Amino acid sequence: MRIDHLAALTAAFVFPLFPAWSFEIELERNFTRPGNQEQLDIISTADLGPFTPIISAFQDENPGIDIRYVVASSVELFKALHAENASFDLAISSAMDLQIKLANDGKSVPYTSATTSRLPGWAKWRNEVFAFTREPAVLLISRKAFSALPVPRTRIELIELVRSHPDVFRDRVGTYDVRSSGLGYLFATQDSRNSEVYWRLTEVFGQLGSRLYCCSAEMIADVENGTLALAYNVLGSYAQRELSDGGGNAQLVTFEDYYNVMLRTALIPASATNVSGAGRMIDFLLRLDLRPDLVERSGFPAIPLSGSGGLDNTNSIHLGPSLLVFLDKLKRRKFLEYWSSSLRLDGEPGDRAEQRILE
Amino acid sequence: MMPRVSSGSIRLRLTTQLVVVAAVLSIVFVYSVWSVGKNTAETTQDKVLSAAAASIADALRTERGELVVDIPYSTFSMLEAISDDRIFYRIIVNGTTVTGYEDLPADPSLVDSRVPHFSNNVFVGEDVRTVAVKRSFSALGVPVDVVVFVAQTRAGYTRIASDVLSVAAWVGSGFFLFAIVLCLVASQSALRPLREVARAVERRGPEDLRPMRQLTPVEIAPLVSALNGFISRLESSLIRAEEFIADAAHCLRTPLAMIRTNAEIALRTTRSTPSRQALREILKAADESSRSTGQLLDHATVTFRSDNMKVERVDVVSLVADTIDRFEPVAEMKGIKLLSTPGRTTVDCRADPVLLRSALGNIIDNAIKYSPADSVIRVSTDLPLDRIRISVCDQGRGFGEKSCEMLTGRFTRGDNVEDIIGSGLGLTIVAKVVDSHQGELCIASNPEGAGTCVSIILPH
């Protein structure tokens, strides 16, 4: 009896903020300053590293506001806001499709300000989802592995190169596990829309035996340490930041046939309690382009507001409800089946991640 | 004198009616544009929705005996192309939801094959327009009914409709304001002929009784012809009055002459002082009466002749001399000298001699009448500034304070003549004659002392 009591007490003490929520978080950090009155809860897929300078600069500009920054995967973030209505003031995610689904399903609230009205039309939807970075998907190669090989400029060249040098690439090709990574799934589905070559590439990766990753950071590390000869669809901004820290084995390649550009987006969840604070943070993020110091420290390629120069938007993934199509239960199952059989994966194609997202 | 204003203003009535018509037309315009806009927005949404549902339905296929649902990527692109509205869908196979939003309101039993079925529902707290499309398949000999529901919120379309309404409202009110200006201008110009007739009547002189000849719109023609009828009745009644006066004067002349003759005879034969006194009174009264009747006849003659002038070459000097000769005996009786100032021998003028003689006679007659005994009346003729001036200057009492214009009115006399019998017709006759010759009548104080100078100035 006494032990049960203690257990309950401990549980209440340890998880006071998440009483019955089942989504998983990776990290939580509080940015508090003495005397602050206001609290802003942010759930984000972005790592603390790039976001810490942004939060500090925001707190400098908006004194009196404490920030709780929770890092979660895009799927967990979606689950928290869609199924569980967890209370956060701002959601920042790289999974554009899941953000659009949150807005489409009425899980976000609109926000307008002088700053949001200057954002180009392609970078916002319904005044609920706002894009503030453009981050391309790139190919990362190991200089050691490619020392005797030409650097491929297109996917077709990559296919031919990998086919003709199976000894170099066997079990040394890395890409996202699209079953568990929201961003990986987004890049893969957009690839499949853009070109039939994608499936041939997947077939080739399957023949050689590819390694699957949850996150860009791990892929970058494995290319850097030589475990991987190449990593396909790595988030360019992360790679750039990691590579600037030294090393020198990994090299970034942008394809010439096409490349996808992900827009990192922010939205205010319907469950938000501090909407005005969240709005100020959105305005701050949309003005990131005006802070070259923050752009450099965070590594986020900011979107310029209109009036501060045009921007070629041809490669960006379109931010709109057409992204909902690949979130369709049957469409997703079909895609994963095809993807799994191309990569010659064993086991059930209907994976746990799918269950988590759609049921 | 202003007429009694009792039944309001035609202009106000006209303007009000036109403005009401314009307002009704504006409202009809706004309403019809709005309903067309609303209809178009709704039809557009329905068409895009059914195209989206059809594209999902058309992508349905059976593979190895199993139904495959594969939503084309373009399906939602076409929906988001038109507005930012939220999109929902639900696919039901044989009564079971296989994918999409399971709680989207949908009733497959209402849907007919091949014909899109539309309905309005509420989903996630918003109004949605739902379309349903049905397809029937056969999978391994088993019939399969698939119903595809696609729904979209209506905010974008409501906004289109309200944008159309606001444009229509702006255009409609602009049209209305413009119409008000046009109404004011139209009523102003519609009533202009009426004002022109009024001004034409106002401009006429008191003697002008000609009919109105100006062109008027058909609507005002009856008014003008009624006015003309009235004028001609007035003219004929005036002519009748003049004729009556002339006839009366004529009839009085003969009896007056007989009274005078008999009174003179009686005066010569009677010695009785009271009788002589009475007879002198009778003579004096008869003289005055015959002078007055003479003037009335003169006036009638002048009135008649000034409308039918017989203009000929007249020698003014001899006309003046003749008139002085005619009045010499009367002047002598009062001890007044009539002097003609010597000047030119002949001055030619184009005039009606009868009228001119009558005018000059009346001036001299007046001068004699109001001059004291043993005074002088000078009659002169000269040509100032290429015009002919005939002046009659006396040493009498003058005209007092009354103005020239008032003196020339009929039966009007000077302020200071209460002790002398007179009709007041003399100067009226003179003025009329001068007027009909386009001349001027000038009455001024005698520059050589007491008295008055009356001048007729005629064009050469």
Side-chain angles (χ1 to χ4, degrees):
Chain A
M1 196 65 165
R2 261 183 59 197
I3 293 167
D4 282 350
H5 245 93
L6 201 66
L9 201 68
T10 313
F13 183 72
V14 173
F15 305 110
L17 293 167
F18 308 108
W21 291 332
S22 62
F23 62 91
E24 293 166 14
I25 65 166
E26 292 168 12
L27 197 72
E28 179 181 342
R29 168 91 175 268
N30 284 296
F31 294 82
T32 52
R33 294 183 182 186
N36 282 357
Q37 302 291 320
E38 210 177 330
Q39 168 87 18
L40 187 68
D41 292 338
I42 300 176
I43 184 164
S44 169
T45 60
D47 287 342
L48 256 179
F51 237 88
T52 304
I54 294 177
I55 290 173
S56 301
F58 176 77
Q59 284 183 316
D60 290 342
E61 210 173 89
N62 300 272
I65 189 160
D66 276 344
I67 290 177
R68 184 165 68 92
Y69 190 81
V70 175
V71 181
S73 77
S74 57
V75 174
E76 292 301 320
L77 181 151
F78 176 79
K79 201 171 101 179
L81 297 176
H82 196 269
E84 303 188 18
N85 290 320
S87 179
F88 286 100
D89 299 317
L90 192 68
I92 298 168
S93 173
S94 53
M96 298 163 69
D97 47 357
L98 296 177
Q99 295 278 84
I100 289 290
K101 189 164 169 64
L102 282 175
N104 189 67
D105 294 0
K107 303 294 181 182
S108 63
V109 291
Y111 171 71
T112 48
S113 71
T115 310
T116 64
S117 64
R118 287 177 58 207
L119 193 64
W122 54 262
K124 58 187 170 189
W125 189 62
R126 286 179 67 88
N127 281 320
E128 292 183 31
V129 183
F130 302 96
F132 64 98
T133 69
R134 290 179 83 248
E135 302 177 43
V138 297
L139 176 72
L140 203 62
I141 57 173
S142 154
R143 282 184 215 274
K144 283 176 201 152
F146 275 77
S147 57
L149 300 174
V151 173
R153 286 168 302 171
T154 64
R155 284 168 181 76
I156 289 176
E157 282 182 20
L158 177 65
I159 290 167
E160 280 164 7
L161 190 75
V162 173
R163 263 200 191 135
S164 53
H165 299 90
D167 49 314
V168 178
F169 295 105
R170 189 169 302 283
D171 292 327
R172 291 181 68 199
V173 172
T175 190
Y176 274 115
D177 184 348
V178 304
R179 294 170 298 187
S180 58
S181 161
L183 181 60
Y185 183 73
L186 178 66
F187 280 148
T189 52
Q190 292 296 320
D191 268 347
S192 75
R193 280 188 61 230
N194 279 333
S195 167
E196 283 301 314
V197 177
Y198 172 72
W199 291 118
R200 283 171 57 199
L201 187 65
T202 319
E203 289 278 345
V204 173
F205 286 175
Q207 284 163 16
L208 292 170
S210 52
R211 290 164 182 263
L212 299 180
Y213 289 82
C214 76
C215 320
S216 277
E218 290 168 24
M219 269 191 277
I220 294 163
D222 279 0
V223 172
E224 188 66 37
N225 64 30
T227 313
L228 290 178
L230 66 84
Y232 180 75
N233 269 354
V234 174
L235 200 51
S237 55
Y238 272 58
Q240 201 97 54
R241 191 167 50 240
E242 297 300 322
L243 300 183
S244 68
D245 288 350
N249 183 35
Q251 183 189 341
L252 217 135
V253 178
T254 305
F255 283 119
E256 289 173 14
D257 49 354
Y258 73 87
Y259 59 95
N260 286 310
V261 178
M262 174 271 283
L263 306 178
R264 195 178 291 273
T265 56
L267 59 78
I268 304 176
S271 58
T273 51
N274 186 1
V275 174
S276 78
R280 269 178 285 156
M281 180 53 111
I282 285 178
D283 287 345
F284 188 82
L285 292 174
L286 297 184
R287 287 196 308 263
L288 209 57
D289 187 54
L290 307 175
R291 294 286 299 266
D293 57 322
L294 288 181
V295 169
E296 197 186 333
R297 286 172 66 197
S298 65
F300 285 137
I303 292 175
L305 293 173
S306 61
S308 49
L311 184 72
D312 174 30
N313 183 42
T314 44
N315 295 304
S316 298
I317 297 169
H318 177 70
L319 187 68
S322 43
L323 290 172
L324 299 176
V325 170
F326 277 108
L327 294 181
D328 176 70
K329 186 162 67 176
L330 300 180
K331 186 100 179 169
R332 180 177 163 90
R333 183 182 299 160
K334 190 125 195 83
F335 183 86
L336 292 180
E337 262 174 34
Y338 208 33
W339 180 82
S340 300
S341 72
S342 296
L343 281 181
R344 303 184 177 186
L345 302 176
D346 299 330
E348 276 294 305
D351 62 315
R352 291 192 321 278
E354 178 201 339
Q355 304 292 320
R356 286 211 302 257
I357 290 179
L358 298 154
E359 282 167 16
Chain B
M1 186 186 73
M2 280 292 287
R4 267 194 330 128
V5 181
S6 56
S7 55
S9 144
I10 295 181
R11 188 177 161 192
L12 186 66
R13 214 181 303 167
L14 195 61
T15 312
T16 314
Q17 281 165 3
L18 288 173
V19 165
V20 167
V21 169
V24 169
L25 286 178
S26 304
I27 290 166
V28 167
F29 166 78
V30 171
Y31 179 77
S32 51
V33 169
W34 173 68
S35 66
V36 166
K38 193 167 166 257
N39 236 318
T40 309
E42 281 171 2
T43 314
T44 308
Q45 183 174 32
D46 284 357
K47 288 203 166 145
V48 178
L49 273 174
S50 39
S55 84
I56 296 175
D58 292 343
L60 295 169
R61 59 185 188 272
T62 49
E63 250 173 40
R64 282 165 292 172
E66 248 182 70
L67 183 79
V68 177
V69 178
D70 185 10
I71 300 173
Y73 198 75
S74 58
T75 299
F76 293 162
S77 307
M78 64 175 105
L79 286 171
E80 69 165 295
I82 295 187
S83 74
D84 264 357
D85 279 297
R86 295 182 172 138
I87 300 166
F88 310 104
Y89 66 99
R90 181 176 175 182
I91 298 172
I92 299 177
V93 178
N94 283 345
T96 312
T97 301
V98 293
T99 188
Y101 293 74
E102 287 182 5
D103 40 0
L104 181 71
D107 186 355
S109 63
L110 293 173
V111 186
D112 278 339
S113 235
R114 291 280 160 197
V115 183
H117 175 264
F118 295 97
S119 57
N120 293 325
N121 309 98
V122 175
F123 187 56
V124 289
E126 272 199 73
D127 286 337
V128 294
R129 182 77 170 161
T130 310
V131 67
V133 169
K134 187 174 178 180
R135 295 280 192 276
S136 295
F137 294 87
S138 175
L140 297 174
V142 182
V144 178
D145 280 339
V146 184
V147 187
V148 176
F149 291 88
V150 178
Q152 194 179 20
T153 53
R154 316 189 67 168
Y157 297 89
T158 314
R159 195 163 54 239
I160 291 172
S162 75
D163 284 354
V164 168
L165 176 62
S166 88
V167 169
W170 278 111
V171 172
S173 24
F175 167 78
F176 180 60
L177 290 179
F178 183 60
I180 287 179
V181 174
L182 281 187
C183 291
L184 290 172
V185 171
S187 60
Q188 184 92 2
S189 79
L191 294 175
R192 186 178 302 136
L194 211 54
R195 278 198 304 280
E196 274 167 7
V197 168
R199 212 171 295 143
V201 172
E202 250 170 31
R203 266 201 306 268
R204 289 189 158 217
E207 313 277 294
D208 188 353
L209 293 175
R210 288 168 300 153
M212 300 191 54
R213 297 249 175 264
Q214 70 209 93
L215 290 172
T216 52
V218 243
E219 290 81 2
I220 298 183
L223 174 69
V224 171
S225 84
L227 201 59
N228 281 342
F230 176 73
I231 290 171
S232 81
R233 282 201 303 281
L234 183 67
E235 186 179 25
S236 59
S237 97
L238 277 176
I239 289 170
R240 261 204 310 282
E242 297 280 354
E243 279 171 359
F244 173 77
I245 291 168
D247 283 354
H250 191 75
C251 291
L252 282 172
R253 249 152 79 118
T254 319
L256 276 173
M258 282 189 51
I259 290 168
R260 200 183 187 288
T261 315
N262 286 322
E264 266 185 356
I265 293 169
L267 187 64
R268 263 182 233 138
T269 52
T270 307
R271 292 280 174 262
S272 150
T273 311
S275 300
R276 288 181 69 96
Q277 185 62 34
L279 284 169
R280 276 199 197 90
E281 292 288 323
I282 289 169
L283 268 177
K284 195 179 170 194
D287 279 349
E288 285 301 330
S289 297
S290 82
R291 184 170 172 274
S292 293
T293 48
Q295 274 186 334
L296 280 174
L297 272 173
D298 263 5
H299 185 261
T301 309
V302 165
T303 305
F304 174 74
R305 276 194 78 123
S306 57
D307 289 337
N308 311 277
M309 288 219 301
K310 293 190 175 63
V311 177
E312 55 192 67
R313 187 174 294 277
V314 178
D315 178 12
V316 176
V317 174
S318 64
L319 188 135
V320 168
D322 284 355
T323 315
I324 288 173
D325 285 352
R326 191 149 59 90
F327 281 93
E328 203 103 61
V330 187
E332 251 171 50
M333 271 172 50
K334 279 191 77 175
I336 293 169
K337 270 187 184 159
L338 259 180
L339 295 178
S340 171
T341 310
R344 295 163 167 273
T345 47
T346 55
V347 173
D348 277 348
C349 173
R350 290 192 58 75
D352 185 320
V354 176
L355 291 181
L356 203 55
R357 194 170 286 126
S358 167
L360 189 58
N362 269 291
I363 297 172
I364 294 174
D365 185 43
N366 250 354
I368 293 168
K369 191 172 173 185
Y370 296 108
S371 285
D374 297 323
S375 66
V376 176
I377 296 172
R378 286 175 201 284
V379 183
S380 60
T381 309
D382 60 350
L383 300 165
L385 298 170
D386 217 20
R387 282 149 43 121
I388 301 163
R389 180 166 66 191
I390 307 165
S391 301
V392 177
C393 295
D394 61 27
Q395 295 167 333
R397 62 183 81 184
F399 283 95
E401 297 299 313
K402 275 195 184 162
S403 73
C404 186
E405 205 171 304
M406 288 170 77
L407 287 167
T408 55
R410 267 210 276 192
F411 310 114
T412 308
R413 306 175 68 212
D415 286 339
N416 47 357
V417 291
E418 279 78 16
D419 55 327
I420 296 172
I421 300 166
S423 63
L425 266 177
L427 276 179
T428 312
I429 293 166
V430 176
K432 204 154 199 163
V433 170
V434 169
D435 200 38
S436 62
H437 284 85
Q438 280 90 46
E440 266 177 56
L441 176 63
C442 183
I443 299 169
S445 299
N446 194 343
E448 295 168 13
T452 309
C453 277
V454 179
S455 309
I456 299 172
I457 300 166
L458 298 173
H460 201 290

